[in-house]
PDB file of all heavy atoms in Angstrom:
ATOM      1  N   GLU A   1      67.274 109.108  80.591  1.00  0.00           N
ATOM      2  CA  GLU A   1      66.691 107.800  79.967  1.00  0.00           C
ATOM      3  C   GLU A   1      66.549 106.693  80.928  1.00  0.00           C
ATOM      4  O   GLU A   1      65.552 105.967  81.113  1.00  0.00           O
ATOM      5  CB  GLU A   1      67.511 107.432  78.809  1.00  0.00           C
ATOM      6  CG  GLU A   1      66.788 106.486  77.816  1.00  0.00           C
ATOM      7  CD  GLU A   1      65.470 107.072  77.249  1.00  0.00           C
ATOM      8  OE1 GLU A   1      65.571 108.272  76.806  1.00  0.00           O
ATOM      9  OE2 GLU A   1      64.505 106.329  77.335  1.00  0.00           O
ATOM     10  N   ILE A   2      67.682 106.529  81.736  1.00  0.00           N
ATOM     11  CA  ILE A   2      67.750 105.397  82.747  1.00  0.00           C
ATOM     12  C   ILE A   2      66.677 105.756  83.875  1.00  0.00           C
ATOM     13  O   ILE A   2      65.960 104.806  84.251  1.00  0.00           O
ATOM     14  CB  ILE A   2      69.073 105.382  83.369  1.00  0.00           C
ATOM     15  CG1 ILE A   2      70.162 104.767  82.272  1.00  0.00           C
ATOM     16  CG2 ILE A   2      69.140 104.400  84.538  1.00  0.00           C
ATOM     17  CD1 ILE A   2      71.529 104.916  82.756  1.00  0.00           C
ATOM     18  N   THR A   3      66.554 106.931  84.332  1.00  0.00           N
ATOM     19  CA  THR A   3      65.665 107.262  85.332  1.00  0.00           C
ATOM     20  C   THR A   3      64.192 107.006  84.985  1.00  0.00           C
ATOM     21  O   THR A   3      63.376 106.379  85.713  1.00  0.00           O
ATOM     22  CB  THR A   3      65.821 108.846  85.706  1.00  0.00           C
ATOM     23  OG1 THR A   3      67.114 109.000  86.138  1.00  0.00           O
ATOM     24  CG2 THR A   3      64.814 109.135  86.842  1.00  0.00           C
ATOM     25  N   ASP A   4      63.869 107.364  83.745  1.00  0.00           N
ATOM     26  CA  ASP A   4      62.445 107.104  83.207  1.00  0.00           C
ATOM     27  C   ASP A   4      62.261 105.658  83.085  1.00  0.00           C
ATOM     28  O   ASP A   4      61.204 105.076  83.449  1.00  0.00           O
ATOM     29  CB  ASP A   4      62.394 107.629  81.715  1.00  0.00           C
ATOM     30  CG  ASP A   4      62.092 109.183  81.745  1.00  0.00           C
ATOM     31  OD1 ASP A   4      62.068 109.773  82.884  1.00  0.00           O
ATOM     32  OD2 ASP A   4      62.088 109.808  80.733  1.00  0.00           O
ATOM     33  N   LEU A   5      63.257 104.863  82.642  1.00  0.00           N
ATOM     34  CA  LEU A   5      63.068 103.434  82.465  1.00  0.00           C
ATOM     35  C   LEU A   5      62.980 102.733  83.859  1.00  0.00           C
ATOM     36  O   LEU A   5      62.123 101.840  83.993  1.00  0.00           O
ATOM     37  CB  LEU A   5      64.288 102.821  81.689  1.00  0.00           C
ATOM     38  CG  LEU A   5      64.115 101.330  81.361  1.00  0.00           C
ATOM     39  CD1 LEU A   5      62.977 101.100  80.426  1.00  0.00           C
ATOM     40  CD2 LEU A   5      65.437 100.877  80.617  1.00  0.00           C
ATOM     41  N   MET A   6      63.634 103.147  84.835  1.00  0.00           N
ATOM     42  CA  MET A   6      63.603 102.500  86.186  1.00  0.00           C
ATOM     43  C   MET A   6      62.267 102.939  86.791  1.00  0.00           C
ATOM     44  O   MET A   6      61.680 102.064  87.575  1.00  0.00           O
ATOM     45  CB  MET A   6      64.757 103.021  87.066  1.00  0.00           C
ATOM     46  CG  MET A   6      66.069 102.388  86.583  1.00  0.00           C
ATOM     47  SD  MET A   6      67.391 102.522  87.930  1.00  0.00           S
ATOM     48  CE  MET A   6      67.525 104.281  88.219  1.00  0.00           C
ATOM     49  N   GLU A   7      61.687 104.041  86.595  1.00  0.00           N
ATOM     50  CA  GLU A   7      60.356 104.402  87.070  1.00  0.00           C
ATOM     51  C   GLU A   7      59.432 103.508  86.415  1.00  0.00           C
ATOM     52  O   GLU A   7      58.391 103.082  87.117  1.00  0.00           O
ATOM     53  CB  GLU A   7      60.064 105.889  86.738  1.00  0.00           C
ATOM     54  CG  GLU A   7      60.794 106.873  87.656  1.00  0.00           C
ATOM     55  CD  GLU A   7      60.622 108.363  87.254  1.00  0.00           C
ATOM     56  OE1 GLU A   7      59.720 108.533  86.251  1.00  0.00           O
ATOM     57  OE2 GLU A   7      61.081 109.200  87.841  1.00  0.00           O
ATOM     58  N   TYR A   8      59.459 103.086  85.151  1.00  0.00           N
ATOM     59  CA  TYR A   8      58.543 102.229  84.566  1.00  0.00           C
ATOM     60  C   TYR A   8      58.649 100.850  85.234  1.00  0.00           C
ATOM     61  O   TYR A   8      57.530 100.230  85.567  1.00  0.00           O
ATOM     62  CB  TYR A   8      58.885 102.074  83.078  1.00  0.00           C
ATOM     63  CG  TYR A   8      58.116 100.931  82.414  1.00  0.00           C
ATOM     64  CD1 TYR A   8      56.800 101.101  82.110  1.00  0.00           C
ATOM     65  CD2 TYR A   8      58.700  99.630  82.292  1.00  0.00           C
ATOM     66  CE1 TYR A   8      56.106  99.985  81.472  1.00  0.00           C
ATOM     67  CE2 TYR A   8      58.083  98.629  81.688  1.00  0.00           C
ATOM     68  CZ  TYR A   8      56.697  98.825  81.255  1.00  0.00           C
ATOM     69  OH  TYR A   8      56.043  97.671  80.787  1.00  0.00           O
ATOM     70  N   PHE A   9      59.845 100.334  85.497  1.00  0.00           N
ATOM     71  CA  PHE A   9      59.997  99.043  86.159  1.00  0.00           C
ATOM     72  C   PHE A   9      59.524  99.025  87.533  1.00  0.00           C
ATOM     73  O   PHE A   9      59.041  97.900  88.066  1.00  0.00           O
ATOM     74  CB  PHE A   9      61.390  98.432  86.004  1.00  0.00           C
ATOM     75  CG  PHE A   9      61.698  97.981  84.566  1.00  0.00           C
ATOM     76  CD1 PHE A   9      62.649  98.608  83.810  1.00  0.00           C
ATOM     77  CD2 PHE A   9      61.000  96.841  84.127  1.00  0.00           C
ATOM     78  CE1 PHE A   9      62.935  98.130  82.585  1.00  0.00           C
ATOM     79  CE2 PHE A   9      61.333  96.328  82.812  1.00  0.00           C
ATOM     80  CZ  PHE A   9      62.303  96.908  82.040  1.00  0.00           C
ATOM     81  N   GLU A  10      59.600 100.130  88.204  1.00  0.00           N
ATOM     82  CA  GLU A  10      59.109 100.239  89.608  1.00  0.00           C
ATOM     83  C   GLU A  10      57.570  99.896  89.663  1.00  0.00           C
ATOM     84  O   GLU A  10      57.079  99.359  90.520  1.00  0.00           O
ATOM     85  CB  GLU A  10      59.348 101.693  90.143  1.00  0.00           C
ATOM     86  CG  GLU A  10      60.697 101.722  90.992  1.00  0.00           C
ATOM     87  CD  GLU A  10      60.802 103.012  91.766  1.00  0.00           C
ATOM     88  OE1 GLU A  10      60.095 103.129  92.822  1.00  0.00           O
ATOM     89  OE2 GLU A  10      61.329 103.978  91.315  1.00  0.00           O
ATOM     90  N   LYS A  11      56.955 100.404  88.523  1.00  0.00           N
ATOM     91  CA  LYS A  11      55.511 100.198  88.518  1.00  0.00           C
ATOM     92  C   LYS A  11      55.062  98.730  88.288  1.00  0.00           C
ATOM     93  O   LYS A  11      53.846  98.431  88.413  1.00  0.00           O
ATOM     94  CB  LYS A  11      54.850 101.050  87.373  1.00  0.00           C
ATOM     95  CG  LYS A  11      55.000 102.615  87.675  1.00  0.00           C
ATOM     96  CD  LYS A  11      54.565 103.505  86.489  1.00  0.00           C
ATOM     97  CE  LYS A  11      54.818 104.966  86.721  1.00  0.00           C
ATOM     98  NZ  LYS A  11      54.649 105.755  85.447  1.00  0.00           N
ATOM     99  N   THR A  12      55.986  97.914  87.887  1.00  0.00           N
ATOM    100  CA  THR A  12      55.662  96.511  87.610  1.00  0.00           C
ATOM    101  C   THR A  12      55.468  95.798  88.996  1.00  0.00           C
ATOM    102  O   THR A  12      54.949  94.687  89.008  1.00  0.00           O
ATOM    103  CB  THR A  12      56.669  95.758  86.886  1.00  0.00           C
ATOM    104  OG1 THR A  12      57.963  95.767  87.513  1.00  0.00           O
ATOM    105  CG2 THR A  12      56.916  96.390  85.439  1.00  0.00           C
ATOM    106  N   ALA A  13      55.903  96.424  90.022  1.00  0.00           N
ATOM    107  CA  ALA A  13      55.649  95.986  91.430  1.00  0.00           C
ATOM    108  C   ALA A  13      56.058  94.507  91.625  1.00  0.00           C
ATOM    109  O   ALA A  13      55.369  93.698  92.216  1.00  0.00           O
ATOM    110  CB  ALA A  13      54.137  96.147  91.726  1.00  0.00           C
ATOM    111  N   GLY A  14      57.171  94.061  91.157  1.00  0.00           N
ATOM    112  CA  GLY A  14      57.665  92.745  91.351  1.00  0.00           C
ATOM    113  C   GLY A  14      56.942  91.595  90.537  1.00  0.00           C
ATOM    114  O   GLY A  14      57.147  90.490  90.845  1.00  0.00           O
ATOM    115  N   LYS A  15      56.176  92.070  89.601  1.00  0.00           N
ATOM    116  CA  LYS A  15      55.458  91.064  88.737  1.00  0.00           C
ATOM    117  C   LYS A  15      56.429  90.644  87.469  1.00  0.00           C
ATOM    118  O   LYS A  15      57.141  91.520  87.090  1.00  0.00           O
ATOM    119  CB  LYS A  15      54.215  91.583  88.137  1.00  0.00           C
ATOM    120  CG  LYS A  15      53.103  91.905  89.165  1.00  0.00           C
ATOM    121  CD  LYS A  15      51.952  92.587  88.673  1.00  0.00           C
ATOM    122  CE  LYS A  15      50.963  92.933  89.820  1.00  0.00           C
ATOM    123  NZ  LYS A  15      49.742  93.669  89.254  1.00  0.00           N
ATOM    124  N   PRO A  16      56.285  89.464  87.021  1.00  0.00           N
ATOM    125  CA  PRO A  16      57.117  89.037  85.877  1.00  0.00           C
ATOM    126  C   PRO A  16      56.885  89.855  84.712  1.00  0.00           C
ATOM    127  O   PRO A  16      55.799  90.208  84.357  1.00  0.00           O
ATOM    128  CB  PRO A  16      56.700  87.560  85.620  1.00  0.00           C
ATOM    129  CG  PRO A  16      56.126  87.141  86.910  1.00  0.00           C
ATOM    130  CD  PRO A  16      55.480  88.323  87.586  1.00  0.00           C
ATOM    131  N   THR A  17      57.985  90.426  84.132  1.00  0.00           N
ATOM    132  CA  THR A  17      57.871  91.336  82.954  1.00  0.00           C
ATOM    133  C   THR A  17      59.036  91.043  81.999  1.00  0.00           C
ATOM    134  O   THR A  17      60.093  90.592  82.350  1.00  0.00           O
ATOM    135  CB  THR A  17      57.897  92.755  83.469  1.00  0.00           C
ATOM    136  OG1 THR A  17      57.665  93.625  82.276  1.00  0.00           O
ATOM    137  CG2 THR A  17      59.290  93.124  84.066  1.00  0.00           C
ATOM    138  N   GLU A  18      58.861  91.281  80.760  1.00  0.00           N
ATOM    139  CA  GLU A  18      59.857  91.147  79.697  1.00  0.00           C
ATOM    140  C   GLU A  18      60.656  92.439  79.621  1.00  0.00           C
ATOM    141  O   GLU A  18      60.099  93.404  79.276  1.00  0.00           O
ATOM    142  CB  GLU A  18      59.232  90.784  78.390  1.00  0.00           C
ATOM    143  CG  GLU A  18      60.175  90.204  77.292  1.00  0.00           C
ATOM    144  CD  GLU A  18      59.504  89.776  76.097  1.00  0.00           C
ATOM    145  OE1 GLU A  18      58.564  89.034  76.161  1.00  0.00           O
ATOM    146  OE2 GLU A  18      59.926  90.234  75.013  1.00  0.00           O
ATOM    147  N   VAL A  19      61.950  92.327  79.830  1.00  0.00           N
ATOM    148  CA  VAL A  19      62.778  93.396  79.883  1.00  0.00           C
ATOM    149  C   VAL A  19      63.235  93.980  78.559  1.00  0.00           C
ATOM    150  O   VAL A  19      63.279  95.154  78.325  1.00  0.00           O
ATOM    151  CB  VAL A  19      64.050  93.053  80.796  1.00  0.00           C
ATOM    152  CG1 VAL A  19      64.960  94.296  80.830  1.00  0.00           C
ATOM    153  CG2 VAL A  19      63.601  92.802  82.248  1.00  0.00           C
ATOM    154  N   GLY A  20      63.408  93.042  77.648  1.00  0.00           N
ATOM    155  CA  GLY A  20      64.111  93.356  76.342  1.00  0.00           C
ATOM    156  C   GLY A  20      63.348  94.516  75.547  1.00  0.00           C
ATOM    157  O   GLY A  20      64.042  95.382  75.035  1.00  0.00           O
ATOM    158  N   SER A  21      62.115  94.363  75.438  1.00  0.00           N
ATOM    159  CA  SER A  21      61.402  95.316  74.563  1.00  0.00           C
ATOM    160  C   SER A  21      61.516  96.812  75.089  1.00  0.00           C
ATOM    161  O   SER A  21      61.518  97.731  74.330  1.00  0.00           O
ATOM    162  CB  SER A  21      59.917  94.965  74.374  1.00  0.00           C
ATOM    163  OG  SER A  21      59.316  94.830  75.685  1.00  0.00           O
ATOM    164  N   ASN A  22      61.533  96.902  76.391  1.00  0.00           N
ATOM    165  CA  ASN A  22      61.702  98.287  77.034  1.00  0.00           C
ATOM    166  C   ASN A  22      63.045  98.776  76.875  1.00  0.00           C
ATOM    167  O   ASN A  22      63.299 100.018  76.656  1.00  0.00           O
ATOM    168  CB  ASN A  22      61.343  98.195  78.527  1.00  0.00           C
ATOM    169  CG  ASN A  22      59.787  97.872  78.611  1.00  0.00           C
ATOM    170  OD1 ASN A  22      58.891  98.656  78.454  1.00  0.00           O
ATOM    171  ND2 ASN A  22      59.471  96.659  79.077  1.00  0.00           N
ATOM    172  N   LEU A  23      64.062  97.887  76.871  1.00  0.00           N
ATOM    173  CA  LEU A  23      65.393  98.293  76.668  1.00  0.00           C
ATOM    174  C   LEU A  23      65.631  98.813  75.217  1.00  0.00           C
ATOM    175  O   LEU A  23      66.383  99.639  75.014  1.00  0.00           O
ATOM    176  CB  LEU A  23      66.363  97.078  76.954  1.00  0.00           C
ATOM    177  CG  LEU A  23      66.570  96.683  78.401  1.00  0.00           C
ATOM    178  CD1 LEU A  23      67.310  95.432  78.580  1.00  0.00           C
ATOM    179  CD2 LEU A  23      67.274  97.827  79.155  1.00  0.00           C
ATOM    180  N   THR A  24      64.911  98.215  74.252  1.00  0.00           N
ATOM    181  CA  THR A  24      65.080  98.591  72.839  1.00  0.00           C
ATOM    182  C   THR A  24      64.804 100.117  72.728  1.00  0.00           C
ATOM    183  O   THR A  24      65.494 100.859  72.141  1.00  0.00           O
ATOM    184  CB  THR A  24      64.180  97.831  71.972  1.00  0.00           C
ATOM    185  OG1 THR A  24      64.565  96.449  71.916  1.00  0.00           O
ATOM    186  CG2 THR A  24      64.259  98.302  70.514  1.00  0.00           C
ATOM    187  N   SER A  25      63.602 100.429  73.303  1.00  0.00           N
ATOM    188  CA  SER A  25      63.127 101.854  73.226  1.00  0.00           C
ATOM    189  C   SER A  25      64.026 102.809  73.861  1.00  0.00           C
ATOM    190  O   SER A  25      64.451 103.891  73.314  1.00  0.00           O
ATOM    191  CB  SER A  25      61.659 101.943  73.856  1.00  0.00           C
ATOM    192  OG  SER A  25      61.323 103.280  73.972  1.00  0.00           O
ATOM    193  N   SER A  26      64.685 102.386  75.028  1.00  0.00           N
ATOM    194  CA  SER A  26      65.508 103.260  75.752  1.00  0.00           C
ATOM    195  C   SER A  26      66.871 103.478  75.097  1.00  0.00           C
ATOM    196  O   SER A  26      67.401 104.569  74.950  1.00  0.00           O
ATOM    197  CB  SER A  26      65.731 102.692  77.154  1.00  0.00           C
ATOM    198  OG  SER A  26      66.293 103.574  78.013  1.00  0.00           O
ATOM    199  N   ALA A  27      67.354 102.401  74.547  1.00  0.00           N
ATOM    200  CA  ALA A  27      68.763 102.435  73.881  1.00  0.00           C
ATOM    201  C   ALA A  27      68.622 103.290  72.616  1.00  0.00           C
ATOM    202  O   ALA A  27      69.570 104.035  72.288  1.00  0.00           O
ATOM    203  CB  ALA A  27      69.316 101.035  73.666  1.00  0.00           C
ATOM    204  N   SER A  28      67.533 103.128  71.805  1.00  0.00           N
ATOM    205  CA  SER A  28      67.360 103.830  70.619  1.00  0.00           C
ATOM    206  C   SER A  28      67.372 105.306  70.857  1.00  0.00           C
ATOM    207  O   SER A  28      67.732 106.158  70.016  1.00  0.00           O
ATOM    208  CB  SER A  28      66.192 103.272  69.843  1.00  0.00           C
ATOM    209  OG  SER A  28      64.997 103.597  70.556  1.00  0.00           O
ATOM    210  N   SER A  29      66.756 105.673  71.974  1.00  0.00           N
ATOM    211  CA  SER A  29      66.593 107.178  72.289  1.00  0.00           C
ATOM    212  C   SER A  29      67.913 107.774  72.480  1.00  0.00           C
ATOM    213  O   SER A  29      68.159 108.958  72.128  1.00  0.00           O
ATOM    214  CB  SER A  29      65.728 107.301  73.622  1.00  0.00           C
ATOM    215  OG  SER A  29      65.564 108.652  73.855  1.00  0.00           O
ATOM    216  N   ASN A  30      68.960 106.985  73.099  1.00  0.00           N
ATOM    217  CA  ASN A  30      70.251 107.570  73.273  1.00  0.00           C
ATOM    218  C   ASN A  30      70.952 107.785  71.965  1.00  0.00           C
ATOM    219  O   ASN A  30      71.621 108.889  71.708  1.00  0.00           O
ATOM    220  CB  ASN A  30      71.135 106.592  74.097  1.00  0.00           C
ATOM    221  CG  ASN A  30      70.495 106.404  75.552  1.00  0.00           C
ATOM    222  OD1 ASN A  30      70.079 107.441  76.123  1.00  0.00           O
ATOM    223  ND2 ASN A  30      70.627 105.282  76.143  1.00  0.00           N
ATOM    224  N   ILE A  31      70.760 106.850  71.008  1.00  0.00           N
ATOM    225  CA  ILE A  31      71.382 107.053  69.701  1.00  0.00           C
ATOM    226  C   ILE A  31      70.673 108.175  68.986  1.00  0.00           C
ATOM    227  O   ILE A  31      71.353 109.006  68.233  1.00  0.00           O
ATOM    228  CB  ILE A  31      71.283 105.733  68.815  1.00  0.00           C
ATOM    229  CG1 ILE A  31      72.114 104.596  69.559  1.00  0.00           C
ATOM    230  CG2 ILE A  31      71.855 106.001  67.359  1.00  0.00           C
ATOM    231  CD1 ILE A  31      73.580 104.862  69.634  1.00  0.00           C
ATOM    232  N   ALA A  32      69.405 108.294  69.094  1.00  0.00           N
ATOM    233  CA  ALA A  32      68.577 109.464  68.485  1.00  0.00           C
ATOM    234  C   ALA A  32      69.167 110.727  69.080  1.00  0.00           C
ATOM    235  O   ALA A  32      69.360 111.710  68.192  1.00  0.00           O
ATOM    236  CB  ALA A  32      67.218 109.361  68.778  1.00  0.00           C
ATOM    237  N   ALA A  33      69.563 110.855  70.302  1.00  0.00           N
ATOM    238  CA  ALA A  33      70.091 112.059  70.865  1.00  0.00           C
ATOM    239  C   ALA A  33      71.479 112.342  70.216  1.00  0.00           C
ATOM    240  O   ALA A  33      71.825 113.547  69.980  1.00  0.00           O
ATOM    241  CB  ALA A  33      70.213 111.899  72.368  1.00  0.00           C
ATOM    242  N   LEU A  34      72.278 111.370  70.051  1.00  0.00           N
ATOM    243  CA  LEU A  34      73.566 111.539  69.393  1.00  0.00           C
ATOM    244  C   LEU A  34      73.417 112.005  67.949  1.00  0.00           C
ATOM    245  O   LEU A  34      74.127 112.989  67.512  1.00  0.00           O
ATOM    246  CB  LEU A  34      74.298 110.309  69.470  1.00  0.00           C
ATOM    247  CG  LEU A  34      75.650 110.210  68.755  1.00  0.00           C
ATOM    248  CD1 LEU A  34      76.665 111.005  69.533  1.00  0.00           C
ATOM    249  CD2 LEU A  34      76.153 108.793  68.598  1.00  0.00           C
ATOM    250  N   LEU A  35      72.484 111.494  67.264  1.00  0.00           N
ATOM    251  CA  LEU A  35      72.263 111.757  65.867  1.00  0.00           C
ATOM    252  C   LEU A  35      71.600 113.180  65.705  1.00  0.00           C
ATOM    253  O   LEU A  35      71.966 114.022  64.880  1.00  0.00           O
ATOM    254  CB  LEU A  35      71.452 110.781  65.147  1.00  0.00           C
ATOM    255  CG  LEU A  35      72.021 109.365  64.947  1.00  0.00           C
ATOM    256  CD1 LEU A  35      71.123 108.456  64.393  1.00  0.00           C
ATOM    257  CD2 LEU A  35      73.176 109.530  63.884  1.00  0.00           C
ATOM    258  N   PHE A  36      70.517 113.342  66.405  1.00  0.00           N
ATOM    259  CA  PHE A  36      69.674 114.422  66.136  1.00  0.00           C
ATOM    260  C   PHE A  36      69.738 115.574  67.172  1.00  0.00           C
ATOM    261  O   PHE A  36      69.038 116.664  67.042  1.00  0.00           O
ATOM    262  CB  PHE A  36      68.160 113.980  66.130  1.00  0.00           C
ATOM    263  CG  PHE A  36      67.902 112.772  65.252  1.00  0.00           C
ATOM    264  CD1 PHE A  36      67.259 111.650  65.692  1.00  0.00           C
ATOM    265  CD2 PHE A  36      68.475 112.781  63.931  1.00  0.00           C
ATOM    266  CE1 PHE A  36      67.070 110.535  64.913  1.00  0.00           C
ATOM    267  CE2 PHE A  36      68.365 111.637  63.105  1.00  0.00           C
ATOM    268  CZ  PHE A  36      67.616 110.613  63.552  1.00  0.00           C
ATOM    269  N   GLY A  37      70.564 115.406  68.265  1.00  0.00           N
ATOM    270  CA  GLY A  37      70.735 116.408  69.236  1.00  0.00           C
ATOM    271  C   GLY A  37      69.760 116.629  70.213  1.00  0.00           C
ATOM    272  O   GLY A  37      69.787 117.549  71.082  1.00  0.00           O
ATOM    273  N   LYS A  38      68.655 115.698  70.282  1.00  0.00           N
ATOM    274  CA  LYS A  38      67.692 115.877  71.305  1.00  0.00           C
ATOM    275  C   LYS A  38      67.117 114.468  71.657  1.00  0.00           C
ATOM    276  O   LYS A  38      67.022 113.481  70.739  1.00  0.00           O
ATOM    277  CB  LYS A  38      66.539 116.845  70.863  1.00  0.00           C
ATOM    278  CG  LYS A  38      65.921 116.381  69.520  1.00  0.00           C
ATOM    279  CD  LYS A  38      64.917 117.435  69.049  1.00  0.00           C
ATOM    280  CE  LYS A  38      64.402 117.009  67.570  1.00  0.00           C
ATOM    281  NZ  LYS A  38      63.574 118.072  67.107  1.00  0.00           N
ATOM    282  N   ARG A  39      66.657 114.358  72.872  1.00  0.00           N
ATOM    283  CA  ARG A  39      66.109 113.018  73.294  1.00  0.00           C
ATOM    284  C   ARG A  39      64.649 113.014  73.129  1.00  0.00           C
ATOM    285  O   ARG A  39      63.972 114.095  73.379  1.00  0.00           O
ATOM    286  CB  ARG A  39      66.448 112.873  74.802  1.00  0.00           C
ATOM    287  CG  ARG A  39      65.833 111.680  75.420  1.00  0.00           C
ATOM    288  CD  ARG A  39      66.369 111.587  76.977  1.00  0.00           C
ATOM    289  NE  ARG A  39      65.421 110.585  77.572  1.00  0.00           N
ATOM    290  CZ  ARG A  39      64.431 110.978  78.446  1.00  0.00           C
ATOM    291  NH1 ARG A  39      64.109 112.174  78.557  1.00  0.00           N
ATOM    292  NH2 ARG A  39      63.691 109.982  78.918  1.00  0.00           N
ATOM    293  N   LEU A  40      64.091 111.987  72.528  1.00  0.00           N
ATOM    294  CA  LEU A  40      62.659 111.895  72.280  1.00  0.00           C
ATOM    295  C   LEU A  40      61.921 111.305  73.473  1.00  0.00           C
ATOM    296  O   LEU A  40      62.412 110.253  73.966  1.00  0.00           O
ATOM    297  CB  LEU A  40      62.461 110.950  71.075  1.00  0.00           C
ATOM    298  CG  LEU A  40      63.083 111.384  69.773  1.00  0.00           C
ATOM    299  CD1 LEU A  40      62.903 110.401  68.639  1.00  0.00           C
ATOM    300  CD2 LEU A  40      62.552 112.770  69.320  1.00  0.00           C
ATOM    301  N   LYS A  41      60.845 111.930  73.914  1.00  0.00           N
ATOM    302  CA  LYS A  41      60.117 111.423  75.064  1.00  0.00           C
ATOM    303  C   LYS A  41      59.434 110.119  74.698  1.00  0.00           C
ATOM    304  O   LYS A  41      59.205 109.797  73.544  1.00  0.00           O
ATOM    305  CB  LYS A  41      59.069 112.413  75.479  1.00  0.00           C
ATOM    306  CG  LYS A  41      59.634 113.701  76.091  1.00  0.00           C
ATOM    307  CD  LYS A  41      60.240 113.405  77.373  1.00  0.00           C
ATOM    308  CE  LYS A  41      60.683 114.720  78.084  1.00  0.00           C
ATOM    309  NZ  LYS A  41      61.337 114.418  79.391  1.00  0.00           N
ATOM    310  N   TYR A  42      59.110 109.272  75.669  1.00  0.00           N
ATOM    311  CA  TYR A  42      58.537 108.020  75.550  1.00  0.00           C
ATOM    312  C   TYR A  42      57.274 107.951  74.608  1.00  0.00           C
ATOM    313  O   TYR A  42      57.120 107.028  73.851  1.00  0.00           O
ATOM    314  CB  TYR A  42      58.166 107.384  76.933  1.00  0.00           C
ATOM    315  CG  TYR A  42      59.252 106.406  77.372  1.00  0.00           C
ATOM    316  CD1 TYR A  42      60.504 106.886  77.760  1.00  0.00           C
ATOM    317  CD2 TYR A  42      59.039 104.990  77.476  1.00  0.00           C
ATOM    318  CE1 TYR A  42      61.510 106.041  78.256  1.00  0.00           C
ATOM    319  CE2 TYR A  42      60.079 104.157  77.923  1.00  0.00           C
ATOM    320  CZ  TYR A  42      61.255 104.736  78.290  1.00  0.00           C
ATOM    321  OH  TYR A  42      62.234 103.903  78.753  1.00  0.00           O
TER     322      TYR A  42
END
């Protein structure tokens, strides 16, 4: 999940971006893996 998220931020190429909304999606995927046994793709 971290690798996917960092690849996304690499594409922002140093431009101002809001981090929080992307973190929500990433953190929820980890809990989904714990609950349902599998990670959901972006």
Side-chain angles (χ1 to χ4, degrees):
E1 196 61 47
I2 290 170
T3 300
D4 282 358
L5 188 59
M6 290 197 299
E7 284 176 2
Y8 168 81
F9 281 116
E10 269 192 79
K11 293 172 186 174
T12 63
K15 294 175 183 174
T17 185
E18 196 176 307
V19 174
S21 57
N22 294 289
L23 287 170
T24 296
S25 172
S26 194
S28 66
S29 182
N30 295 327
I31 298 294
L34 176 71
L35 287 170
F36 312 130
K38 56 189 176 186
R39 179 174 163 259
L40 300 174
K41 291 291 185 181
Y42 262 68

